[in-house]
Amino acid sequence: MYNILALVIGALISIMISFNSGLEGYVGSTYSVVIIHAIGLIAILIVAAIKKEKIVIKEAIPFYLFLGGTLVNVITIGSIGVALTTALAVFGQLVFSSLVDHFGLFGLTKYEFNPKKLVGLFIVLVGLVIMTMV
């Protein structure tokens, strides 16, 4: 079930970055990122209000946890397209998430890296090389 949901998220991300790129064509990179995040903030505030949730911060939050919303997809799509932007982003996520899992970075649970993952990363890399040559 979670594998299917992950595939759906991947499809939605492709749609999202396509829309973000379209917005960038109208208002430019800087303002599109501001608009995208403002709308996200408004949407989650509405959801929180409907669910009657309150923000409760129990302790100090490390600064790096606030960096998850940085976007550069908007800039790259105009130059290399949605498919290659998404493929390169996913490859970057695969490599870095493998490091996060293996070393338990950011206080997360450790998941050992195994040779099967290396084969998968290599196959994806070959696909990227082929995509960039076309």
Side-chain angles (χ1 to χ4, degrees), residues 39-60:
I39 289 174
L41 174 63
I42 292 166
I44 199 63
L45 288 174
I46 291 169
V47 169
I50 290 169
K51 294 175 73 176
K52 296 180 179 161
E53 290 183 3
K54 293 182 180 178
I55 297 173
V56 178
I57 301 174
K58 298 177 183 175
E59 56 189 73

Side-chain angles (χ1 to χ4, degrees), residues 17-111:
I17 63 175
S18 299
F19 287 178
N20 293 351
S21 177
L23 179 61
E24 188 263 344
Y26 286 100
V27 299
S29 326
T30 304
Y31 290 119
S32 65
V33 171
V34 170
I35 292 167
I36 291 161
H37 284 83
I39 289 174
L41 174 63
I42 292 166
I44 199 63
L45 288 174
I46 291 169
V47 169
I50 290 169
K51 294 175 73 176
K52 296 180 179 161
E53 290 183 3
K54 293 182 180 178
I55 297 173
V56 178
I57 301 174
K58 298 177 183 175
E59 56 189 73
I61 300 171
F63 176 75
Y64 64 85
L65 294 179
F66 293 100
L67 300 176
T70 56
L71 291 176
V72 293
N73 286 331
V74 171
I75 299 166
T76 58
I77 290 173
S79 299
I80 62 175
V82 174
L84 190 54
T85 296
T86 303
L88 288 166
V90 168
F91 184 70
Q93 289 172 358
L94 288 171
V95 170
F96 191 73
S97 62
S98 294
L99 293 170
V100 170
D101 278 351
H102 183 74
F103 294 107
L105 300 177
F106 311 115
L108 298 173
T109 304
K110 289 183 181 183
Y111 296 94

